[in-house]
Amino acid sequence: MRLIGCLPLGGLLRSVGRVGSRRALAGNARFELLDGAGATMGSYFVDDVTVIDVEPSACGGGLVDLTVTLWCENALAGAEHAWDLIRAGRLNRTGMWHELTPEDRHAWLSVALWTREYGRRGKTDAPAGQVFTLDGRHIVDRDSFYCAIGEAAQEVISQLCFCSLIFDFCADS
């Protein structure tokens, strides 16, 4: 993984000076994904962060670009597409999940779970008794059902229902 424009601190700073040795292991960390304004969109807990390369960053200001290896059980292959859409503010129309493969839909849902607080900033739940219309034309499996219901509720689904969906998703993952 390439980290651009870093100001390493703590164990990461110590490992920068140890690139190429076993002591380049920085340890475990909480890895936060930021939007363009620097707000945290979501985060993952990562294990065995090891710096394998360091270069001065084009971002300037004494920052460095790091190449690291790490282990993250919850970051799914294909999730970067959804993270990039959210970061760029381009997750802005319905149906964007329709053409995804089953694996990519699963990754899409995982990002939805990790970004739920970010997506709810400044929003309130829909009033009680509101009716949502679910477009079932693209439902072909459980993940597409969850994509469709999330889209129908437009992220204002009640916490109780959303927690139920999260529990089911996590139990089957």
Side-chain angles (χ1 to χ4, degrees):
M1 172 179 284
R2 186 97 167 131
L3 305 174
I4 308 295
C6 297
L7 179 60
L9 301 171
L12 191 59
L13 178 60
R14 285 188 296 280
S15 66
V16 164
R18 299 173 179 163
V19 172
S21 75
R22 283 189 237 171
R23 294 177 40 174
L25 177 67
N28 304 330
R30 173 129 334 258
F31 185 82
E32 293 187 347
L33 292 104
L34 307 178
D35 68 10
T40 300
M41 299 184 302
S43 64
Y44 294 108
F45 181 79
V46 295
D47 297 311
D48 300 327
V49 178
T50 304
V51 177
I52 58 173
D53 189 36
V54 58
E55 299 173 358
S57 179
C59 297
L63 302 176
V64 294
D65 296 342
L66 300 176
T67 303
V68 300
T69 60
L70 54 86
W71 169 252
C72 182
E73 182 177 1
N74 294 317
L76 302 179
E80 63 275 0
H81 175 65
W83 284 115
D84 289 343
L85 287 172
I86 294 167
R87 181 179 297 108
R90 293 191 335 252
L91 190 58
N92 54 9
R93 61 184 164 75
T94 60
M96 296 180 76
W97 56 271
H98 291 174
E99 302 302 319
L100 298 177
T101 66
E103 294 79 18
D104 288 341
R105 274 194 303 274
H106 196 71
W108 184 276
L109 282 173
S110 77
V111 172
L113 293 174
W114 292 112
T115 60
R116 67 186 179 274
E117 293 302 319
Y118 177 78
R120 293 180 56 82
R121 292 173 305 145
K123 296 179 182 176
T124 58
D125 284 343
Q130 187 159 350
V131 175
F132 298 100
T133 302
L134 180 94
D135 180 355
R137 291 177 291 173
H138 298 281
I139 297 175
V140 295
D141 58 15
R142 183 186 331 224
D143 288 342
S144 60
F145 170 75
Y146 288 149
C147 287
I149 200 167
E151 187 173 88
Q154 299 174 10
E155 297 184 26
V156 292
I157 198 163
S158 74
Q159 286 296 84
L160 180 60
C161 183
F162 194 71
C163 289
S164 174
L165 292 175
I166 292 168
F167 177 79
D168 189 47
F169 175 82
C170 293
D172 291 336
S173 293

